Amino acid sequence: MTLSFFDQFMSPTYLGIPLIALALTLPWILFPTPSTRWLNNRLITLQGWFINRFTQQLLLPLNLGGHKWAVLLTSLMLFLITLNMLGLLPYTFTPTTQLSLNMGLAVPLWLATVIIGMRNQPTAALGHLLPEGTPVPLIPVLIIIETISLFIRPLALGVRLTANLTAGHLLIQLIATAAFVLLPMMPTVAILTSIVLFLLTLLEIAVAMIQAYVFVLLLSLYLQENV
């Protein structure tokens, strides 16, 4: 059976049961749990320092009303980073390459920020649809454009994460296949290709972390507009 490059993005199944649920549960098992001791080990201390720094940076532009989202946004950030990083290991499946999963995360959270804005400050929330000082003939057109851009936000969140991770995985597979094919024919070119593959893998590790951060950062910016 001939396999295509896109087969790596198919959700694996075992006895007809999709294993994406296992892939989504695994990251929470890997995190070290804090202990009741006064002095923790280095791993828990590093984890706590990272979470504190990220939370402070994320909540810096938000007022006190948005600080209620600290646990949710920080947990989502750690969850996405772990899923993206585990997907770079050999013979693993990356759930965040599935647009359905990313949209399932983006749409409810974006909708929650919109509902909060409509409930707490409906005038200011609707005011974002019409910039101040707009000429009267352009008012209907701008309202339509701003409304479309508002509803495109969750789609942009999901597609951005899916496209970046999918493109990176495809590029890694293409270069790895080229290095494997060129090894018996042109060993020097294969070695150079392997070096490029190693550098690309380092780049994909950075992309996996950055895309998770961008996803949560954009959600915090949407929250800032409505809180």
Side-chain angles (χ1 to χ4, degrees):
M1 183 178 63
T2 304
L3 298 177
S4 68
F5 287 119
F6 290 93
D7 287 339
Q8 60 176 317
F9 304 117
M10 295 175 59
S11 179
T13 58
Y14 181 72
L15 297 178
I17 302 173
L19 298 181
I20 189 171
L22 179 62
L24 294 175
T25 309
L26 184 60
W28 301 113
I29 304 175
L30 300 178
F31 295 138
T33 55
S35 64
T36 57
R37 299 176 181 177
W38 286 5
L39 295 178
N40 293 320
N41 57 33
R42 293 183 178 89
L43 184 59
I44 296 180
T45 303
L46 182 62
Q47 174 185 289
W49 175 84
F50 171 76
I51 292 175
N52 289 334
R53 292 293 299 172
F54 170 74
T55 307
Q56 291 174 5
Q57 185 70 24
L58 188 66
L59 301 181
L60 196 60
L62 298 178
N63 54 22
L64 292 178
H67 290 185
K68 301 175 184 178
W69 286 58
V71 176
L72 176 62
L73 294 178
T74 305
S75 301
L76 180 62
M77 168 76 173
L78 292 174
F79 183 61
L80 290 177
I81 282 183
T82 310
L83 284 180
N84 296 346
M85 298 291 286
L86 289 177
L88 293 174
L89 297 175
Y91 302 103
T92 56
F93 171 67
T94 313
T96 44
T97 56
Q98 306 295 311
L99 183 60
S100 57
L101 173 67
N102 296 333
M103 293 300 295
L105 293 174
V107 172
L109 293 174
W110 164 82
L111 188 59
T113 62
V114 174
I115 292 175
I116 287 176
M118 292 294 184
R119 186 188 64 179
N120 294 341
Q121 43 182 10
T123 304
L126 293 175
H128 292 300
L129 301 179
L130 184 63
E132 187 177 356
T134 303
V136 177
L138 295 179
I139 288 178
V141 178
L142 278 180
I143 290 178
I144 295 174
I145 293 175
E146 291 295 332
T147 304
I148 294 175
S149 67
L150 177 65
F151 283 97
I152 282 179
R153 285 179 174 182
L155 182 62
L157 278 177
V159 170
R160 180 186 295 108
L161 183 59
T162 304
N164 280 282
L165 295 179
T166 302
H169 283 66
L170 281 176
L171 198 55
I172 286 177
Q173 187 173 3
L174 285 171
I175 296 179
T177 304
F180 181 76
V181 171
L182 291 173
L183 185 59
M185 296 182 295
M186 293 179 285
T188 306
V189 179
I191 292 174
L192 293 177
T193 308
S194 301
I195 295 175
V196 173
L197 177 62
F198 175 72
L199 297 177
L200 180 63
T201 305
L202 295 180
L203 177 63
E204 284 304 310
I205 293 175
V207 168
M209 294 186 289
I210 291 172
Q211 288 304 316
Y213 176 72
V214 168
F215 189 92
V216 177
L217 179 63
L218 289 176
L219 277 177
S220 68
L221 294 179
Y222 301 158
L223 180 64
Q224 180 185 357
E225 294 181 357
N226 295 285
V227 175

